Each structure stands twice: as C-alpha cells, then as structure tokens.
C-alpha cells in the first residue's frame, strides 16, 4: 500500500512527546512490512540533518496560499531508517518553523494550518495516487476538510483519510478567520454538523473537522476509544465521537524496539538482555547502570528503598499534584526519586521549581526540567520503578518502555495504562495499579511498592520477567492499522 503520514513530530529528530515515537515506530514497521511509506513534516530549524541517511532538495518551488499571498517552499527528501521523509521548508515572513521549537509559540495555529495546506499542495504537485493519507492530532487535522472541500484533484488521488487521535484534550480551537487564511471560508463551516466547536458557536474546532471528514478515526488504545465517548474524557467532542462511533477504532501503540533496546542501547553503561530467563544477569547490569547514573547526578544509592523515576511532560493530564506528593513520600520512606520533566503549563512552574529548590543537593532526590532523550534512556535502565499517575492517558509509552528495561511501572488505572499494566495481584502481574486520584491512593500503592521491593523479591522479579516477556513491538499494531486501511478503502463513510 502507498501510505503518506502527515505529522508535526517524528522521533528522535523532531520529538516533543509520544507522537514522535509513534510516527517513528509505526512508519518504520510499515516499511518493513513492504508498504511504500512517506512522511510529510515541517523542516523545523531544530532538526539536525546529520541524523538522516540521505537528504536532498526534492522540489524547489512548491507554492502555498495563505491570506491572499502565495508563499514559496522548498521540499527536501530525506531517508531515516528506511523511511522516506519529506520536509517542507517555507520562505515565510513569520519564520514559521524557524523558532527553535515544535510547539509553544503564540502562532501555533497559523503555523500548523499553513503546514496542513502546504502538505496538501505537495500531494497535488506530486500528482500520484496514494492509498492512505494518515493524519495525526490537531496540527494536521485541517488536511481532511481541505482535501474534501478545496482540492477535488487530491481527493481523487487519495484512497482514504485516516485520522489518529493521540490526545483529545488538544483540539485546535481557532477563530474562523484563521481557517479562512488557508482558503476555507471559516464562517461557512460554523455549523453543528461541520466544524463548529460544541461549546462555542463562533469557534472552529479542527479536530472535529478531521473526525467528520476522515474515513476512519483511530485512537491509541481500546480503553481510550471507549473513554472518549464520555463527558469525563471527551473534552466536549464526546457527542461527535458517539455519533460517528462506527468509524472509530482503538489500536494500542507499540514501541520502536531498536531504539528502546537495552541489548544495544548506546546510552547505557552496561547493556543487558531483554530475556527474562537471564534475570540475575539483568539485575547485575541494571545495578551497574544505577551506580553510574547516581554518580553522574551526584546522588547516593538508597540502602533500603527502590529508585523510582518519572519521565513526563508536566501537565495537568499527568497528575502533577500526585507526582509532587510521591516525590515527598518516596523521600520519607528512604527511597530515591528522579523526575525528568518538561513543564508545559505555567501555573505548574512554581510548585515544581520550589520542590527542586527544596531538594537541591539532596542525595536521593533529583528533579530536572529539561527534555533529555539520552538521560531518559539511562533512567529507564537504572530504575527499579516508574511512576505514572495520569488523570487520563490515551496510551502512554513510558510504561511500555520501562517494562522492556525491567523497570516496574506504577500507574493509575486509566486509558492505555489500564490496557497495558497488570496489577501485582493479577494472574500475570507486571506492575502496580491504583485507582483513585488521591494522595491516600498514592501512599497506599507506594506502601505496596516498598514492601514488595524490600520483602518479596520473588514477586518483584516475577513482575520484571513478565514485563520483559511482553511483546510491545509494532508488529501487531501495524497489522491492525493495515486492516483498518483496507476496510476504509472498501467502505467510505464520509460526507461526499
Ligand atoms: P505524551 O503524552 O507526552 O505523548 P507518552 O507517554 O505517550 O506521553 O510519550 C512520552 C515520550 O516522551 C516518551 O518516549 C518519553 O520517554 C518521552 N519524554 C517525556 N518527557 C521527556 C523528557 N523530559 N526528556 C526526555 N524524554 C521525555
């Protein structure tokens, strides 16, 4: 099949979170499965082009309309681990992708609307048929209404449009005039069955537009697919999702098992096998990784408690209050805690920076607020447990990565966490699961974690082994996507 992903992230060279990991892992697997895959991405200035196996100018003169002007773009063709990547580089007065960041500018909506239109212009210019155009989250959602309403020639070239919801919280809510900027007259889409936001009749909702115009909508775990039909998790789009539930599916994410492979991971002090029968060897080598990591961070090893890590965006979705509480609680119990997080919401800065100051130079507690991919690999390898108390979690990748690095996840029972971690008391335990979003629930689960770590080595090791034996690769998810692509090619469910 000929598959084109249009995305704002691709790991490792343009990664802000799990979306980048998913694009890397899924597209690479699709290439291995024999598909003809290409990925369209903005050419951010932060991309280090040295990572590519090859890169060349592919199109010198791609023109893209915006707000009465035509802007010139260069398209680069690169290859990364067998995947063809097209990087769109606009000569734009607002330096859209030359801002040292993927997200977080005041004009993110304008930037990604422009990119969406430029991607469609690129497909038009290529003028060759594509079986599936696969869109990801709000930044590329506008592609679906653009193709259906403004580019009839692209509509003829494309077999099906698939829209992936990686996180329904961020929907791309914009004033209609921003849609008009890219050529779709915003006001004419302000109706309930089109792009009007369910909560505000003067706002355009890009994610809603993609849900309506895509042939299939896929979210990243079966539980999250159910959850987003409810008021609690749907962020206002539950009505739209319920109405169109026939085209909704949930496919659990995988992880890219060459990148996340303790056997060959170049960031580790000592590599170790991903084979549960070598548990003693694994334990010894994890210990060496722990020692080196703690030394590099000027920390000391706890004599009794586990090393707990948390690698996350710090946002209300991720349960920030419970993270703060867990750090204090682990400290009191004599364990170690390392937080590697990027603070994504301004109000969260104060409490997290205050805690960082409180534990400055502490020997068992370390808080770091940067995005550091290499350090994240070292943490997964060195830790005993990973803490993830999300309020909601579409899939979650760090619990999958941690199991592959023999680090036991401690998670709240929601979304993809519910689908991937089996509690200590289950038949096939892989971690610790708690339900309530309360400090008492965190205290309770940490009590279990500490007592199991200190007094029940056989169970601790069993959980490690079960986690290691789990196939978290893209093998099965990629097969499921293939089936979804095939079925949507046969059965179109969009307004014509
Ligand atoms: P998200 O909701 O952010 O997409 P996921 O669990 O799906 O959460 O994916 C997060 C990905 O980003 C994981 O690969 C994780 O290791 C990585 N990550 C998150 N925060 C950081 C950080 N501060 N430094 C390095 N990697 C990070």
């Amino acid at each position: 099949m000929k598959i084109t992903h249009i995305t704002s992230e691709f790991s490792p060279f343009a990664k802000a979170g799990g979306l980048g990991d998913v694009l890397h892992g899924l597209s690479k697997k699709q290439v291995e499965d024999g598909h003809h895959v290409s990925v369209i991405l903005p050419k951010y200035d932060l991309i280090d082009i040295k990572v590519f196996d090859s890169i060349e100018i592919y199109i010198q003169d791609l023109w893209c309309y915006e707000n009465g002007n035509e802007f010139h773009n260069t398209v680069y063709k690169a290859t990364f681990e067998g995947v063809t990547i097209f990087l769109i580089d606009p000569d734009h007065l607002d330096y859209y992708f030359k801002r040292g960041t993927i997200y977080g500018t005041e004009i993110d909506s304008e930037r990604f609307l422009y990119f969406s239109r430029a991607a469609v212009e690129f497909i038009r210019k290529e003028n060759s048929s594509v079986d599936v155009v696969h869109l990801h989250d709000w930044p590329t959602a506008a592609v679906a209404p653009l193709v259906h309403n403004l580019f009839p020639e692209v509509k003829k070239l494309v077999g099906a449009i698939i829209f992936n919801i990686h996180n329904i919280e961020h929907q791309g809510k914009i004033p209609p005039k921003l849609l008009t900027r890219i050529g779709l007259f915003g006001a004419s889409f302000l109706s309930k069955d089109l792009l009007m936001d369910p909560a505000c009749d003067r706002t355009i909702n890009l994610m809603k537009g993609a849900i309506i115009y895509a042939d299939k909508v896929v979210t990243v775990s079966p539980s999250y697919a159910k959850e987003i039909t409810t008021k609690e998790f749907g962020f206002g789009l539950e009505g739209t999702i319920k109405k169109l539930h026939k085209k909704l599916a949930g496919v659990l994410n995988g992880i890219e098992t060459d990148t996340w492979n303790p056997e060959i991971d170049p960031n580790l002090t000592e590599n170790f096998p991903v084979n549960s029968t070598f548990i003693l060897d694994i334990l010894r080598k994890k210990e060496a990784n722990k020692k080196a990591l703690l030394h590099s961070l000027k920390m000391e090893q706890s004599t009794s408690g586990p090393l707990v890590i948390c690698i996350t965006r710090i946002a209300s979705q991720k349960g920030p209050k419970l993270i703060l509480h867990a750090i204090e609680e682990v400290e009191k119990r004599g364990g170690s805690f390392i937080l590697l997080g990027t603070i994504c919401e301004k109000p969260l800065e104060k409490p997290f920076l205050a805690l960082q100051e409180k534990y400055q130079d502490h020997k068992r507690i370390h808080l770091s607020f940067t995005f550091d991919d290499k350090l994240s690999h070292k943490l997964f390898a060195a830790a005993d447990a990973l803490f993830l108390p999300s309020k909601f979690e579409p899939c979650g990748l760090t619990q999958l990565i941690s199991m592959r690095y023999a680090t036991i996840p401690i998670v709240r029972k929601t979304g993809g966490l519910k689908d991937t971690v089996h509690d200590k008391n289950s038949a096939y335990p892989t971690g610790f699961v708690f339900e309530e979003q309360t400090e008492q629930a965190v205290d309770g689960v940490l009590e279990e974690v500490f007592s199991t770590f200190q007094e029940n080595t056989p169970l601790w090791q069993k959980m490690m082994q079960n986690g290691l034996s789990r196939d978290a690769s893209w093998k099965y998810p990629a097969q499921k996507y293939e089936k979804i692509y095939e079925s949507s090619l046969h059965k179109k469910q969009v307004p014509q």
Side-chain angles (χ1 to χ4, degrees):
M1 249 185 262
K2 233 178 132 187
I3 303 159
T4 297
H5 291 279
I6 307 179
T7 174
S8 53
E9 291 186 42
F10 196 102
S11 174
F13 51 83
K15 166 170 168 172
L19 177 58
D21 287 335
V22 170
L23 263 296
H24 176 205
L26 175 60
S27 59
K28 191 173 161 184
K29 186 74 187 85
Q30 290 175 330
V31 170
E32 282 165 16
D33 290 345
H35 298 295
H36 185 98
V37 182
S38 56
V39 176
I40 308 178
L41 191 80
K43 188 171 183 296
Y44 302 107
D45 55 356
L46 51 73
I47 296 177
D48 176 3
I49 60 165
K50 288 203 283 294
V51 300
F52 296 122
D53 306 320
S54 68
I55 181 162
E56 62 189 19
I57 291 180
Y58 182 67
I59 293 179
Q60 296 262 17
D61 57 343
L62 178 74
W63 293 91
C64 180
Y65 170 90
E66 187 201 50
N67 207 20
N69 301 305
E70 289 283 337
F71 287 94
H72 173 262
N73 303 265
T74 308
V75 182
Y76 292 79
K77 182 180 183 180
T79 49
F80 182 78
E81 297 179 6
V83 184
T84 302
I85 318 262
F86 291 107
L87 299 154
I88 297 184
D89 187 14
D91 291 328
H92 198 284
L93 302 172
D94 286 322
Y95 300 102
Y96 277 166
F97 304 113
K98 297 183 171 68
R99 290 170 169 251
T101 182
I102 297 176
Y103 312 115
T105 77
E106 279 166 8
I107 51 161
D108 281 2
S109 304
E110 288 89 334
R111 294 164 71 228
F112 290 109
L113 282 166
Y114 177 88
F115 169 63
S116 298
R117 171 139 190 173
V120 180
E121 297 277 10
F122 174 59
I123 296 173
R124 171 162 67 178
K125 197 168 169 81
E126 285 286 87
N127 194 23
S128 106
S129 60
V130 182
D131 292 310
V132 172
V133 166
H134 194 151
L135 312 174
H136 300 270
D137 269 354
W138 79 267
T140 55
V143 169
L146 274 169
V147 169
H148 274 274
N149 297 289
L150 206 61
F151 288 83
E153 61 282 51
V154 175
K155 198 172 164 186
K156 279 196 201 118
L157 291 173
V158 173
I161 294 183
I162 307 296
F163 179 60
N164 242 85
I165 301 176
H166 298 265
N167 190 330
I168 206 168
E169 183 180 12
H170 308 288
Q171 300 174 359
K173 297 188 184 192
I174 56 167
K177 64 177 186 207
L178 291 196
L179 199 60
T180 307
R181 271 171 77 88
I182 58 159
L184 288 172
F185 183 54
S188 68
F189 287 90
L190 280 179
S191 78
K192 276 190 184 152
D193 53 349
L194 293 175
L195 276 70
M196 189 174 91
D197 185 62
C200 175
D201 61 9
R202 268 173 291 177
T203 296
I204 289 288
N205 186 314
L206 294 175
M207 188 173 266
K208 184 180 170 202
I211 293 168
I212 288 170
Y213 285 107
D215 297 284
K216 281 269 183 191
V217 178
V218 187
T219 189
V220 290
S221 68
S223 283
Y224 194 58
K226 286 192 202 117
E227 288 171 355
I228 58 176
T229 62
T230 67
K231 199 165 185 298
E232 190 186 352
F233 295 100
F235 284 92
L237 285 182
E238 57 279 3
T240 310
I241 302 263
K242 254 198 272 188
K243 209 166 131 198
L244 299 172
H245 74 276
K246 279 197 184 135
K247 60 177 177 181
L248 179 70
V251 177
L252 201 60
N253 282 335
I255 53 174
E256 208 289 297
T257 46
D258 292 332
T259 307
W260 300 111
N261 184 355
E263 268 169 18
I264 52 166
D265 190 331
N267 304 293
L268 271 47
T269 302
E270 281 206 38
N271 290 107
F272 55 88
V274 199
N275 182 333
S276 59
T277 47
F278 299 120
I279 190 72
L280 293 179
D281 187 33
I282 293 171
L283 285 168
R284 225 180 6 254
K285 288 175 174 160
K286 272 182 76 75
E287 202 56 31
N289 282 293
K290 189 194 274 185
K291 226 173 160 176
L293 173 83
L294 295 178
H295 180 73
S296 71
L297 296 176
K298 300 191 173 61
M299 294 170 74
E300 281 167 16
Q301 191 145 353
S302 157
T303 47
S304 55
L307 167 60
V308 183
I309 57 165
C310 178
I311 301 171
T312 186
R313 285 184 295 117
I314 299 175
S316 35
Q317 177 202 336
K318 302 290 180 178
K321 280 198 182 130
L322 299 186
I323 296 175
L324 290 167
H325 179 73
I327 295 171
E328 301 270 30
E329 192 60 26
V330 167
E331 197 279 330
K332 271 192 232 150
R333 289 172 180 273
S336 308
F337 202 113
I338 302 177
L339 169 67
L340 174 60
T342 29
I343 303 178
C344 298
E345 294 166 16
K346 195 87 187 135
L348 295 173
E349 255 176 37
K350 207 171 154 195
F352 277 89
L353 292 177
L355 201 69
Q356 186 187 42
E357 200 176 327
K358 176 174 173 185
Y359 288 119
Q360 213 177 14
D361 302 325
H362 194 286
K363 295 295 171 206
R364 288 182 290 108
I365 306 294
H366 181 90
L367 281 71
S368 173
F369 301 121
T370 53
F371 190 91
D372 189 336
D373 190 49
K374 285 190 163 64
L375 179 59
S376 77
H377 284 247
K378 291 181 203 296
L379 292 176
F380 284 118
D384 298 297
L386 169 114
F387 186 62
L388 192 51
S390 306
K391 195 168 151 197
F392 68 93
E393 194 58 75
C395 176
L397 295 177
T398 55
Q399 83 282 10
L400 301 180
I401 301 167
S402 78
M403 284 188 266
R404 194 160 158 81
Y405 280 69
T407 293
I408 294 176
I410 309 163
V411 302
R412 207 180 80 72
K413 193 174 183 179
T414 183
L417 303 178
K418 189 157 94 181
D419 292 344
T420 54
V421 182
H422 305 296
D423 186 50
K424 170 189 163 228
N425 302 314
S426 68
Y428 193 79
T430 52
F432 297 86
V433 181
F434 65 102
E435 223 162 327
E436 302 299 325
Q437 287 177 63
T438 60
E439 294 183 354
Q440 289 89 318
V442 170
D443 293 348
V445 79
L446 287 177
E447 171 68 37
E448 282 188 65
V449 170
F450 274 71
S451 64
T452 312
F453 182 79
Q454 288 159 347
E455 295 152 25
N456 196 345
T457 308
L459 177 57
W460 190 271
Q461 290 183 5
K462 186 79 208 144
M463 286 196 276
M464 274 180 159
Q465 288 175 306
N466 289 345
L468 283 166
S469 308
R470 196 179 175 283
D471 182 354
S473 76
W474 275 100
K475 183 175 168 195
Y476 298 112
Q479 286 171 4
K480 288 191 177 144
Y481 275 106
E482 196 176 309
K483 287 216 171 83
I484 289 170
Y485 293 168
E486 277 164 1
S487 72
S488 56
L489 285 172
H490 294 132
K491 192 172 164 208
K492 295 224 162 213
Q493 293 177 351
V494 289
Q496 292 299 315

